[in-house]
Amino acid sequence: MSAPPAWETFHTSIQGVNKARNQDRCLVQGTGSARDPLILTVADGHGSASYPRSHVGAHYATDLFANRAREFVTSVADRDRAGWRGRLRDYARIGLPERLVRDWQGEVLRHWERDPTPDEDPKSPGPILRLYGSTLIGAVLTPDLFVAWQLGDGELTVVDGDGEVRLPLAPVRAELGDETASLCMRNAWRSVRVHWEPLPDPARAPRLVALSTDGLSKSFVSDEGFTEFAAGLHRRLSERGVPGVAEDIPRWLAEASRHSGDDTTLVLARRAGGRPATDEGAGEPADAEDGGAGEPAVARDEGADESRDDAAEGPGSGPVDPRIPYCEERERP
């Protein structure tokens, strides 16, 4: 008889009510065992007229992250050499982001070369990359190591064994309006935030890891509302397991999308055999109107404008590939 999976997983994406197409992408691979680590990733294409191919950019982002994450996992397993953990940490913080960004930019330039269109006629690589702009969040979980990367908005949410909710990759400075970092930025790897967490004690390892695009968090009136949603989701998963809430989550995300106006994507992994909840009903997702359990809270601005005209081509030297000057993050006036 085979052993049960180390993690239960779920992922789904809901198209925004104000969107012509869903620009989000998500992917889950692996079980979380030593031989088959768990890989989670979500990407949010910027959308709007300035980014007409961002759904393609998001697709490349998730696929390329999965490929690089598998290589990273192979390095995790190679522990015969002295100092392996320090070198691996350095690669996680610098090497992997650099390779991932360059891979993505190369792929979208090749896509443009294969499929240019008359109404999209940029004269240099920077504007081409802008057409595909996307954010990215990715995580790798092994039995004794948890590493995550984030570029741009969205949330990496972790619930620990004691029920505490934390956002380890939340930016030090909150992004303003529709400003966000992007894979199409020049030197985008410098804006990648990295979470490195060894797991020497399984009892203290995260019970829930969730990746979500900002269409979910923006549906709440406050950061505390999003945190309460995550805590309530953890409690329900502890009580019923992933199969017990699999039909409810798309409904919650659809309600969130109705409030935020944005595509809303959630990827989650719950550690199998987690501790049961102790305070039944506490922190459950609350209904925006009547306080009932299971729904997203009141939106900040229903149907909010989701265009992101925050990335523009900028001066300066690019990476090794001379075709790629990138686009830059800037604050909108």
Side-chain angles (χ1 to χ4, degrees):
M1 182 175 180
S2 61
W7 296 86
E8 294 179 317
T9 63
F10 181 85
H11 62 284
T12 191
S13 184
I14 301 296
Q15 181 172 321
V17 295
N18 295 335
K19 296 297 188 74
R21 74 161 79 226
N22 191 339
Q23 305 285 343
D24 290 356
R25 292 293 184 272
C26 60
L27 184 150
V28 175
Q29 294 180 352
T31 63
S33 68
R35 293 183 176 274
D36 186 27
L38 181 61
I39 297 170
L40 313 171
T41 181
V42 299
D44 182 359
H46 299 331
S48 83
S50 298
Y51 308 93
R53 298 189 178 202
S54 60
H55 61 291
V56 178
H59 176 83
Y60 281 135
T62 54
D63 282 359
L64 289 169
F65 175 81
N67 292 339
R68 289 304 180 197
R70 278 191 294 271
E71 294 177 359
F72 178 82
V73 164
T74 301
S75 299
V76 171
D78 182 9
R79 305 181 182 189
D80 294 334
R81 295 170 298 174
W84 70 271
R85 189 181 291 273
R87 288 194 297 271
L88 188 62
R89 183 172 60 247
D90 290 343
Y91 178 68
R93 292 174 174 171
I94 301 172
L96 190 147
E98 287 185 356
R99 296 190 69 182
L100 181 62
V101 169
R102 286 175 174 153
D103 284 351
W104 182 87
Q105 290 162 351
E107 285 292 340
V108 300
L109 289 176
R110 285 188 288 273
H111 183 274
W112 170 259
E113 291 169 356
R114 293 193 303 270
D115 186 28
T117 53
D119 58 335
E120 300 168 357
D121 188 25
K123 303 301 182 182
S124 64
I128 294 175
L129 295 174
R130 180 187 176 92
L131 302 175
Y132 296 82
S134 176
T135 66
L136 177 67
I137 309 174
V140 172
L141 288 142
T142 75
D144 57 4
L145 184 64
F146 168 32
V147 190
W149 298 261
Q150 180 167 353
L151 176 66
D153 54 27
E155 279 73 35
L156 171 76
T157 307
V158 178
V159 182
D160 292 323
D162 58 2
E164 179 184 357
V165 178
R166 53 191 172 97
L167 282 72
L169 288 178
V172 175
R173 178 181 66 88
E175 293 176 329
L176 302 175
D178 290 331
E179 173 193 354
T180 192
S182 172
L183 283 162
C184 70
M185 288 167 47
R186 181 203 321 194
N187 297 331
W189 57 84
R190 296 179 179 173
S191 297
V192 174
R193 305 188 294 277
V194 181
H195 176 67
W196 174 274
E197 183 176 347
L199 305 174
D201 182 0
R204 299 175 62 87
R207 314 312 297 179
L208 177 68
V209 176
L211 286 60
S212 56
T213 56
D214 68 332
L216 179 58
S217 59
K218 288 191 303 186
S219 70
F220 294 90
V221 295
S222 67
D223 294 340
E224 290 74 16
F226 176 77
T227 300
E228 291 171 2
F229 175 90
L233 178 60
H234 168 60
R235 288 185 173 90
R236 290 200 169 201
L237 288 166
S238 297
E239 295 164 2
R240 299 158 54 187
V242 169
V245 298
E247 294 184 359
D248 294 331
I249 293 176
R251 176 169 55 86
W252 299 338
L253 297 187
E255 183 67 9
S257 177
R258 185 178 71 82
H259 287 304
S260 68
D262 199 2
D263 306 325
T264 304
T265 300
L266 176 66
V267 171
L268 65 85
R270 172 186 174 268
R271 187 175 291 274
R275 291 194 317 193
T278 56
D279 298 317
E280 185 173 355
E284 290 180 352
D287 183 32
E289 298 178 356
D290 60 17
E295 304 295 338
V298 180
R300 288 188 176 96
D301 294 295
E302 183 172 347
D305 178 16
E306 289 306 307
S307 63
R308 286 192 179 100
D309 292 325
D310 47 66
E313 184 181 9
S317 61
V320 173
D321 187 340
R323 300 181 303 165
I324 306 177
Y326 300 89
C327 44
E328 285 281 16
E329 176 185 14
R330 65 176 174 85
E331 293 187 10
R332 295 169 63 180

